[in-house]
């Protein structure tokens, strides 16, 4: 028997980085927030490599930056790649970018069980009613508007709760996102499969890059190699659909085969053993993970994190997009709850900025993948969009999730920008090999422009970068970064 229905300002489904971020930032404005999480924390999750925007921007707004610093996570100063036409690894550093100066020029490699716990506990401290072991079974609608959810509490009782807004932050396995009217459009370009596990005793890159993620292209695709602790390393092979067939028979054998086919990773793991006990024991598989929703909100409902979109992880954008989307959603919800901005304007701002950031990563990665020049690698050759005489990349105008129409209305401009990205990456890798990799940081800085500007605003309180409207009629963040205001109000 259920108890009488309860009323909140916001219900958040999912306690990962996206859900913990949006719930905490709405609660900070004094609103009543309920967060429902199906698991009991700490729980395992992939997505272990953070970006500076999350560490120094969103974490600052949440009030957990110092707690994350004290957790002792591995410091990540950039990325190291064996990728493209150069036979030698090359490195970019966040510090090269003028938008990530001094104390903000690093991120962390994190064990998500610990990192996510920090964010969820912080939401509790800020007044969020967090209920774990409480899976949501469906949404409640009223007159075409989502007005609440049904869930099963930790005692097995069916419950109903209502709210002015519901946020789906339940991840890539979400069963709720369709209630917003959204469909997932999967990228035909990044239809990969990841096979990943954990190793003890793996080698480290030479200092000062020992904390970097090491990404290595090989004949089947590419590897990630993430140093989580001195003795613990996350290792994953991201492979093509053709090579994915090797995983179906015996994942253990497939992992050994992939490692043997990638000499740089084989050398790093020469004295390592795979973890076979505890939460890091299984070899795990994830596939078809690059997608974008056709819409990110509908009346009463908002999608954030992997419930909304995800793109190939080579530049570790997952947690960044999740927390950034959570922040944007919180601003829109706070603005509407305060009656400062009408709902359509507030959430159109959320969606425009969210798609803009997703589109930036997607565009960059198209060029980054196309950069590989080896004709002997079937994986990379199969990923070629075009082989015309005009350029290396065919215009990719049917981007998933409406990114093309939102970011580049003119298909000819889309083609031009993708071509320039590919050529720039090829040239910069050649330059980086000869100049100790310094120029790669500038490329990473441009990729992270929106997130880096978020850092600057959070740290200095200025209106720089991300504080400006992104469209002529757009909104801008409030002084505390937690809501939207119209530009005329900031004068």
């Amino acid at each position: 028997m259920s108890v009488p229905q309860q009323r909140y300002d916001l219900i958040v489904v999912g306690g990962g980085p996206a859900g913990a971020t949006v719930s905490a930032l709405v609660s900070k404005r004094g609103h009543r927030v309920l967060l429902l999480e199906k698991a009991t924390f700490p729980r395992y999750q992939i997505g272990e490599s953070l970006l500076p925007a999350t560490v120094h921007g969103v974490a600052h707004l949440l009030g957990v930056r110092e707690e994350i610093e004290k957790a002792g996570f591995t410091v990540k100063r950039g990325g190291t790649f064996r990728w493209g036409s150069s036979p030698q690894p090359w490195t970019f550093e966040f510090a090269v970018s003028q938008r990530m100066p001094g104390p903000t020029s690093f991120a962390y490699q994190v064990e998500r069980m610990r990192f996510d716990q920090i964010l969820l506990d912080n939401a509790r401290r800020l007044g969020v009613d967090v209920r774990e072991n409480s899976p949501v079974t469906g949404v409640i609608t009223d007159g075409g508007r989502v007005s609440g959810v049904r869930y099963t509490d930790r005692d097995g009782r069916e419950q109903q709760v209502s709210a002015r807004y519901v946020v789906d932050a339940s991840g890539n396995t979400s069963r709720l996102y369709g209630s917003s009217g959204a469909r997932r459009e999967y990228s035909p370009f990044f239809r990969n499969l990841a096979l990943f596990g954990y190793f003890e005793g793996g080698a480290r890159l030479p200092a000062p890059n020992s904390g970097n993620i090491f990404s290595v292209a090989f004949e089947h695709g590419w590897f990630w190699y993430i140093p989580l602790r001195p003795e613990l390393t996350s290792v994953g092979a991201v492979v093509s659909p053709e090579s994915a067939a090797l995983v179906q028979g015996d994942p253990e054998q497939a992992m050994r085969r992939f490692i043997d086919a990638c000499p740089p990773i084989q050398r790093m793991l020469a004295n390592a053993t795979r973890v076979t006990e505890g939460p890091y024991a299984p070899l795990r598989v994830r596939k078809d993970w690059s997608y974008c929703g056709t819409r990110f909100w509908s009346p009463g409902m908002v999608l954030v994190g992997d419930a909304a979109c995800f793109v190939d992880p080579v530049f570790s954008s997952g947690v960044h997009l999740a927390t950034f989307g959570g922040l944007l959603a919180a601003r829109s919800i706070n603005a509407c709850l305060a009656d400062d901005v009408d709902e359509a304007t507030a959430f159109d701002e959320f969606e425009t900025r969210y798609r803009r950031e997703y589109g930036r990563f997607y565009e960059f990665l198209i060029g980054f993948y196309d950069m590989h020049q080896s004709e002997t690698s079937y994986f990379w050759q199969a990923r070629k969009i075009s082989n015309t005489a005009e350029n290396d990349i065919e215009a990719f105008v049917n981007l998933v999730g409406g990114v093309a129409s939102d970011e580049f209305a003119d298909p000819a401009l889309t083609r031009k920008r993708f071509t320039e990205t590919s050529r720039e990456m090829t040239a910069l890798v050649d330059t980086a090999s000869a100049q100790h990799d310094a120029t790669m940081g500038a490329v990473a800085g441009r990729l992270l422009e929106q997130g880096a500007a978020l850092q600057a605003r959070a740290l200095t309180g200025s209106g720089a970068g991300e504080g400006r409207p992104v469209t002529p009629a757009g909104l801008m963040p409030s002084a505390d970064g937690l809501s939207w205001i119209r530009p005329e109000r900031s004068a």
Side-chain angles (χ1 to χ4, degrees):
M1 180 177 178
S2 64
V3 300
Q5 186 166 323
Q6 304 166 70
R7 178 76 181 178
Y8 290 83
D9 296 309
L10 170 66
I11 299 169
V12 177
V13 183
T21 295
V22 64
S23 63
L25 296 181
V26 172
S27 187
K28 283 186 76 171
R29 276 293 185 94
H31 303 299
R32 193 168 183 230
V33 181
L34 171 67
L35 187 151
L36 299 170
E37 164 58 48
K38 66 180 180 181
T40 299
F41 278 39
R43 54 88 179 97
Y44 172 83
Q45 186 58 268
I46 192 62
E48 298 146 328
S49 194
L50 304 187
L51 298 183
T54 298
V55 174
H56 307 291
V58 175
H60 175 82
L61 291 173
L62 290 170
V64 295
R65 193 176 60 183
E66 290 186 1
E67 186 175 356
I68 292 172
E69 180 181 354
K70 293 176 181 178
F73 295 124
T74 297
V75 174
K76 167 187 172 182
R77 302 190 183 282
T80 300
F81 290 80
R82 169 57 183 90
W83 199 288
S85 59
S86 172
Q88 299 300 320
W90 48 266
T91 296
F92 74 81
E93 296 180 358
F94 296 125
V96 175
S97 172
Q98 295 183 12
R99 295 180 179 270
M100 289 177 280
T104 69
S105 62
F106 69 91
Y108 294 108
Q109 315 285 16
V110 300
E111 294 178 76
R112 287 286 302 277
M113 288 185 290
R114 297 171 58 210
F115 176 76
D116 290 9
Q117 186 77 65
I118 289 172
L119 297 191
L120 189 64
D121 288 345
N122 181 65
R124 283 192 179 94
R125 285 195 299 268
L126 291 173
V128 177
D129 182 355
V130 176
R131 302 182 188 179
E132 299 176 64
N133 195 22
S134 298
V136 172
T137 56
V139 303
I140 301 168
T141 59
D142 183 7
R145 181 184 183 88
V146 172
S147 59
V149 301
R150 296 182 297 275
Y151 76 98
T152 304
D153 67 20
R154 62 189 312 138
D155 296 321
R157 297 176 299 180
E158 294 296 321
Q159 305 281 3
Q160 290 190 9
V161 285
S162 61
R164 186 166 170 184
Y165 293 104
V166 172
V167 168
D168 181 9
S170 59
N172 68 301
T173 59
S174 167
R175 297 182 178 181
L176 302 180
Y177 72 89
S179 299
S180 69
R183 303 186 316 278
R184 282 185 182 173
E185 294 186 350
Y186 288 83
S187 169
F189 192 81
F190 296 115
R191 278 196 176 275
N192 305 325
L193 176 146
L195 172 65
F196 51 97
Y198 296 81
F199 291 78
E200 293 180 328
R204 294 291 178 259
L205 296 169
N209 301 320
S210 57
N212 284 6
I213 185 172
F214 186 29
S215 300
V216 184
F218 74 123
E219 63 180 296
H220 296 286
W222 64 275
F223 264 99
W224 76 65
Y225 189 94
I226 303 175
L228 297 177
R229 297 197 301 260
E231 74 283 2
L232 182 66
T233 307
S234 172
V235 181
V238 179
V239 301
S240 70
E242 294 77 16
S243 295
L246 299 172
V247 179
Q248 296 177 1
D250 184 346
E252 292 279 358
Q253 183 178 4
M255 179 62 89
R256 289 193 296 271
R257 179 172 179 176
F258 293 149
I259 292 172
D260 290 343
C262 187
I265 297 298
Q266 185 183 46
R267 288 192 291 271
M268 298 292 280
L269 294 174
N271 297 315
T273 57
R274 197 172 73 76
V275 176
T276 56
E277 295 182 355
Y280 293 132
L283 281 177
R284 293 176 166 94
V285 175
R286 186 171 171 184
K287 63 180 181 179
D288 291 343
W289 59 5
S290 293
Y291 55 85
C292 190
T294 54
R295 63 192 304 175
F296 288 172
W297 75 279
S298 65
M301 187 169 186
V302 189
L303 310 181
V304 296
D306 291 3
C309 57
F310 190 84
V311 69
D312 185 277
V314 69
F315 270 95
S316 308
S317 58
V319 174
H320 165 67
L321 288 172
T323 55
F324 185 69
L327 168 60
L328 297 178
R331 288 175 175 169
S332 296
I333 293 165
N334 284 334
C336 291
L337 291 175
D339 294 323
D340 288 336
V341 182
D342 66 275
E343 186 171 276
T345 300
F347 286 102
D348 284 348
E349 184 74 26
F350 152 79
E351 182 150 349
T352 295
R353 289 181 182 248
Y354 203 178
R355 287 189 183 279
R356 183 173 182 260
E357 188 73 351
Y358 176 88
R360 179 178 287 108
F361 277 91
Y362 193 98
E363 174 189 348
F364 187 85
L365 286 168
I366 291 282
F368 191 73
Y369 266 70
D370 188 66
M371 180 192 64
H372 198 285
Q373 301 300 306
S374 173
E375 296 300 321
T376 62
S377 173
Y378 181 76
F379 177 82
W380 303 115
Q381 187 176 25
R383 292 301 179 276
K384 295 280 188 181
I385 299 300
S386 175
N387 191 26
T388 64
E390 181 181 352
N391 54 62
D392 294 332
I393 274 190
E394 184 71 28
F396 195 76
V397 297
N398 296 320
L399 293 181
V400 297
V403 173
S405 59
D406 285 345
E407 295 292 322
F408 317 106
D410 183 353
L413 179 60
T414 303
R415 179 173 185 153
K416 179 176 182 293
R417 291 188 66 175
F418 283 173
T419 302
E420 291 173 349
T421 301
S422 179
R423 290 174 178 169
E424 181 182 37
M425 285 303 305
T426 302
L428 283 173
V429 168
D430 292 341
T431 303
S433 297
Q435 298 181 0
H436 304 287
D437 320 319
T439 57
M440 286 308 302
V443 179
R446 285 195 293 277
L447 172 64
L448 300 170
E449 178 182 355
Q450 182 118 338
L454 172 62
Q455 292 178 44
R457 180 172 178 83
L459 290 171
T460 68
S462 70
E466 201 267 339
R468 298 191 300 266
V470 297
T471 62
L475 304 173
M476 60 186 292
S478 58
D480 64 0
L482 302 184
S483 188
W484 298 122
I485 59 173
R486 298 185 185 277
E488 59 267 22
R489 286 187 54 188
S490 67

